[in-house]
Amino acid sequence: MALGAIGPPRIAGPQRETAIARIRNLALVLGDQLASEPAALAGLDPAHDAVWMAENEAEATHVWSHKQRLALFFAAMRHHRDALRKRGWTVHYHALKADRRRDSGRNFGAILAAAVRRLRPEMLIVAEPGDWRVRALLVATAERLSVPLTIRPDTHFYCGTDEFRDWAAGRKRLVMEDFYRHMRRRHDILMQGNDPVGGRWNLDRDNRERYPADGPPPTLGPVSFPPDAVTRDVLDLVATRYPDHPGRLEDFDLPVTPAQARTALTDFVGHRLPDFGRWQDAMWSGEVFGHHSRLSAALNLHLLNPREAVAAAVAAHAEGRAPLNSVEGFVRQILGWREFVRGVYWLHMPDYADRNALGAELPVPRAYWDGETDMRCVSESMRGVLDHGYAHHIQRLMVLGLFALLAGVDPKAFHEWHMAMYCDAVDWVSLPNALGMSQYGDGGLLATKPYCASGNYIHRMSDYCRGCRFDHRRASGADACPVTTLYWDFLDRHHDKLRGNRRLVFQVKNLERKRRDRPEMAAIRNRAVELRRRLAAGEFI
């Protein structure tokens, strides 16, 4: 059917990709912009405008993506394509083939350029991408083709990039807690007039319990979504086209539509939100999800609107179904931290990606790709990563991130690993969290201190040290915990940089006391040198 003809396009069979009449606007819907009402389509008319979407090799492989991450993006994109077509939209969709020999694997810009030459749109429209690199590519492609490009604000977020820039202007330091309070007031969330509900803005100190000695209490969830025919086709594609990529596909059960994402939200609020706050920092062997929501992937692909998630949690508290500490903790992650890191990303890109304040240069440990290590904390955390493309925030920050920080892994390489291995990873959220918060690569722009700790923290918050061949109490010797060894070595290596940080006064003083025991400190340094040598060589630890 000719685009621009009166009436909706025929959708009974596969849509033709040829254009007879010139398209007025071609809306580009990216793989992390799959809301029921995409911002790029607002105000457009299916009779005169069309949609373009593309799976492509370059976006799938610019990091060595986890199989489940690829499956999630492709399955969610194809379901979104089908939903738009059912609503009368013409969708020009570039799908990858399982057999690479039948697919040129062109990059994103080349596929778009071919579509523009064929369809001859008067205007390209896209919502603000979640990746600075993609934004730059779109701008360059449009300029090269001499076609106008309109980049719209992404209305998925509470805080636009211009609004964040205005908030940040003139501040000596960007503090998430200040921004969070601003957002609470701005959107009247968990507020009683000008005061926070319950009298405190932040209930984090109520949310640091470890599980009981006999393990986590029984809980339901998260709800599972068995693959339908569309998703099964994608799983076959990924298994055939990307057999050497990390991770496993057998347990893929993520939500891939907005309806499924809302079901997952309802499941979390009903079954795990009441105890989420209490145990959000706790870890336990074999426990992948605990009381966490597993909603981050759905949020970051825009399958779930953050306003829906926040409203559902706030309603649960108002109705007596969830305590304030759980609800406030959940709201802070979405309304506070999630919006804050996006603001920091767009405020400081593109140079932010190359920051390396501590001069770290080691590669990502081999165990972060295959899970093979004698360190039980790492192997247990990697179980969820390999099986589900998931780890909760303490496993990410205070196990996998901690060990990488202490060892001296290059922060950009750590971010690229994070992008590759987590289903919820999009550049705007991964880069500040991985490079900044976790690895302190930005020198304190995002976090007020490096999140460094010894193996004792992991022992306190988990059962991982139980039965581990390493002793979390020992810093030197063959049986010393690598986390504990590298903790003291990290403080020692960076003493001059860290001693002025007010939040590290206690740790720096402990290091200075330890330095008085010269034989012990020498043994720690020697052990650390050997560990870092083995990590650099990709050896087993």
Side-chain angles (χ1 to χ4, degrees):
M1 178 176 179
L3 294 171
I6 298 174
R10 181 171 58 86
I11 60 171
Q15 293 192 333
R16 298 176 63 189
E17 291 285 330
T18 57
I20 298 173
R22 190 175 188 186
I23 295 171
R24 184 178 61 184
N25 297 300
L26 185 63
L28 316 180
V29 176
L30 307 180
D32 60 341
Q33 297 178 346
L34 308 178
S36 298
E37 300 293 337
L41 271 61
L44 302 192
D45 183 352
H48 302 287
D49 307 314
V51 177
W52 177 87
M53 302 176 68
E55 303 165 11
N56 73 93
E57 184 74 0
E59 292 304 307
T61 59
H62 81 277
V63 294
W64 196 32
S65 289
H66 193 296
K67 292 173 184 172
Q68 289 207 25
R69 182 173 186 265
L70 294 172
L72 170 64
F73 273 81
F74 294 161
M77 289 172 68
R78 293 185 183 191
H79 281 91
H80 187 73
R81 169 201 64 190
D82 295 347
L84 289 176
R85 286 176 175 171
K86 287 179 181 178
R87 290 167 48 193
W89 285 98
T90 296
V91 183
H92 299 274
Y93 192 93
H94 183 276
L96 290 173
K97 296 179 175 62
D99 187 349
R100 275 197 172 102
R101 294 171 298 180
R102 296 177 56 215
D103 189 331
S104 64
R106 293 173 297 172
N107 67 35
F108 187 73
I111 297 168
L112 175 58
V116 168
R117 294 187 184 104
R118 183 177 71 252
L119 302 172
R120 300 182 299 120
E122 297 175 14
M123 172 81 72
L124 300 178
I125 298 176
V126 68
E128 194 167 37
D131 187 321
W132 188 91
R133 175 185 53 85
V134 171
R135 189 187 196 279
L137 187 152
L138 288 173
V139 170
T141 301
E143 289 179 350
R144 187 171 67 251
L145 297 170
S146 298
V147 58
L149 171 66
T150 296
I151 300 178
R152 293 178 168 179
D154 190 342
T155 55
H156 168 86
F157 295 93
Y158 280 97
C159 183
T161 53
D162 288 342
E163 180 185 346
F164 186 87
R165 188 172 289 107
D166 290 342
W167 175 83
R171 294 176 182 267
K172 293 182 179 179
R173 182 172 182 80
L174 303 183
V175 178
M176 196 285 289
E177 184 68 23
D178 296 341
F179 174 76
Y180 171 55
R181 295 182 185 190
H182 163 75
M183 294 295 285
R184 289 267 296 270
R185 293 187 182 102
R186 169 92 168 75
H187 295 278
D188 193 25
I189 293 172
L190 291 177
M191 297 294 295
Q192 291 178 326
N194 293 322
D195 299 318
V197 170
R200 285 191 288 156
W201 289 100
N202 186 321
L203 279 72
D204 191 45
R205 66 171 180 245
D206 299 333
N207 293 343
R208 296 171 181 168
E209 291 190 40
R210 61 167 293 163
Y211 285 130
D214 57 352
T219 187
L220 293 174
V223 64
S224 178
F225 299 94
D228 62 6
V230 173
T231 302
R232 288 196 299 272
D233 284 346
V234 166
L235 294 175
D236 290 342
L237 161 72
V238 172
T240 303
R241 189 176 178 112
Y242 304 106
D244 59 337
H245 279 232
R248 292 180 275 274
L249 290 169
E250 290 78 7
D251 297 320
F252 184 86
D253 65 347
L254 286 163
V256 293
T257 68
Q260 290 180 343
R262 287 190 289 271
T263 297
L265 171 63
T266 300
D267 171 76
F268 166 66
V269 171
H271 296 134
R272 295 181 304 288
L273 177 62
D275 286 320
F276 164 73
R278 180 181 182 186
W279 285 315
Q280 65 173 298
D281 287 5
M283 300 174 285
W284 199 263
S285 298
E287 187 67 49
V288 176
F289 304 112
H291 287 76
H292 289 262
S293 70
R294 200 173 67 151
L295 293 173
S296 55
L299 283 164
N300 292 349
L301 269 64
H302 293 23
L303 298 174
L304 181 65
N305 192 297
R307 295 163 187 80
E308 293 181 77
V310 168
V314 171
H317 175 256
E319 296 162 9
R321 294 183 286 117
L324 183 60
N325 66 304
S326 288
V327 172
E328 188 277 319
F330 181 68
V331 168
R332 180 159 25 93
Q333 287 188 352
I334 297 174
L335 182 67
W337 189 250
R338 185 171 184 265
E339 299 282 334
F340 183 71
V341 297
R342 179 174 181 261
V344 168
Y345 176 89
W346 285 109
L347 190 63
H348 291 283
M349 283 296 283
D351 66 297
Y352 188 89
D354 294 316
R355 297 191 181 192
N356 189 351
L358 298 178
E361 57 186 18
L362 285 187
V364 173
R366 188 189 85 175
Y368 284 30
W369 298 107
D370 59 20
E372 297 298 322
T373 175
D374 278 343
M375 298 175 62
R376 285 198 69 232
C377 57
V378 172
S379 63
E380 285 293 332
S381 297
M382 283 302 303
R383 178 185 303 186
V385 176
L386 292 169
D387 289 349
H388 303 283
Y390 174 88
H392 68 65
H393 69 276
I394 295 300
Q395 292 168 320
R396 295 193 202 202
L397 178 65
M398 297 305 296
V399 177
L400 300 174
L402 172 65
F403 184 64
L405 169 71
L406 301 180
V409 171
D410 182 291
K412 189 173 184 179
F414 184 79
H415 154 63
E416 290 170 349
W417 168 82
H418 190 275
M419 279 286 290
M421 294 299 282
Y422 290 108
C423 287
D424 59 10
V426 180
D427 204 60
W428 66 265
V429 69
S430 174
L431 185 62
N433 271 299
L435 182 146
M437 179 71 173
S438 176
Q439 300 303 294
Y440 203 67
D442 62 10
L445 176 65
L446 198 71
T448 54
K449 66 168 185 174
Y451 277 80
C452 54
S454 72
N456 189 56
Y457 173 87
I458 296 171
H459 170 69
R460 186 170 72 250
M461 295 307 299
S462 75
D463 71 333
Y464 293 164
C465 299
R466 189 184 302 171
C468 181
R469 90 158 188 84
F470 298 111
D471 185 342
H472 71 275
R473 295 162 296 189
R474 296 193 61 185
S476 61
D479 294 331
C481 171
V483 175
T484 301
T485 299
L486 291 171
Y487 166 72
W488 291 111
D489 180 67
F490 174 84
L491 293 176
D492 186 49
R493 293 195 327 265
H494 300 295
H495 174 266
D496 291 346
K497 289 184 179 180
L498 302 180
R499 64 181 177 179
N501 190 308
R502 289 179 296 176
R503 295 194 64 197
L504 292 177
V505 169
F506 179 74
Q507 289 166 289
V508 169
K509 284 185 177 179
N510 280 344
L511 168 71
E512 291 169 349
R513 281 194 291 269
K514 203 167 194 68
R515 278 178 161 181
R516 295 170 193 155
D517 186 341
R518 293 185 179 181
E520 168 69 0
M521 202 66 220
I524 290 171
R525 289 170 181 150
N526 291 337
R527 170 70 170 159
V529 166
E530 173 62 13
L531 286 171
R532 297 178 78 235
R533 182 201 65 77
R534 291 170 63 184
L535 288 168
E539 295 179 8
F540 180 89
I541 289 181

